[in-house]
Amino acid sequence: QVQLVESGGGLVQTGGSLRLSCAASGSIFSIPAMGWYRQAPGKQRELVATVLLYGDTNYADSVKGRFTISRDNTKNTVGLQMSSLEPEDTAVYYCNVKVRHNEWDFTVQNYWGQGTQVTVSS
């Protein structure tokens, strides 16, 4: 099993910045992919950004140029630096990791954090 602990989030004014962090612990051999998703009220959960084991990143068009995802493979952490925040960024943000539990098994298990609220006031 894997545990995810998220931190960061909160209330910020339009144009402000926030940083989210997520730390994974437990039975981990490697984490091929780490990412952040968000869900606004009444909407489906959507991808914000992902980062692969060797650093390849992918961003939703709506956050390109404003958000930066990063990871520390030595600590099994992933961060999301959010800048130029807009009211449309208001949502619960979820950390997601895809984990290999041992070197003999290439199966990847999917884990979610508990979510952290980000609110951007206009």
Side-chain angles (χ1 to χ4, degrees), residues 10-14 18 38-43 46 66-67 82 85-93 116-122:
L11 174 64
V12 66
Q13 291 185 333
T14 297
L18 283 174
R38 68 186 181 186
Q39 187 167 17
K43 295 187 177 181
E46 63 177 3
R66 300 188 298 122
F67 292 9
M82 305 182 292
L85 283 161
E86 305 166 352
E88 292 73 23
D89 296 316
T90 295
V92 177
Y93 284 69
T116 185
Q117 178 70 46
V118 171
T119 302
V120 184
S121 63
S122 57

Side-chain angles (χ1 to χ4, degrees), residues 67-103:
F67 292 9
T68 302
I69 191 170
S70 60
R71 63 184 286 171
D72 184 334
N73 293 331
T74 66
K75 299 179 180 178
N76 289 333
T77 59
V78 60
L80 184 69
Q81 180 65 46
M82 305 182 292
S83 302
S84 301
L85 283 161
E86 305 166 352
E88 292 73 23
D89 296 316
T90 295
V92 177
Y93 284 69
Y94 296 91
C95 173
N96 174 265
V97 298
K98 294 174 172 50
V99 175
R100 281 182 60 193
H101 291 291
N102 61 68
E103 64 180 309

Side-chain angles (χ1 to χ4, degrees), residues 2-5 21-25 28 30-37 47-59 69-80 94-99 108-112:
V2 171
Q3 295 76 44
L4 299 178
V5 177
S21 296
C22 175
S25 62
I28 298 171
S30 71
I31 309 179
M34 309 182 84
W36 291 93
Y37 291 70
L47 180 146
V48 176
T50 59
V51 56
L52 303 184
L53 183 60
Y54 296 111
D56 292 348
T57 59
N58 180 51
Y59 294 92
I69 191 170
S70 60
R71 63 184 286 171
D72 184 334
N73 293 331
T74 66
K75 299 179 180 178
N76 289 333
T77 59
V78 60
L80 184 69
Y94 296 91
C95 173
N96 174 265
V97 298
K98 294 174 172 50
V99 175
V108 174
Q109 300 291 335
N110 202 35
Y111 295 91
W112 292 94

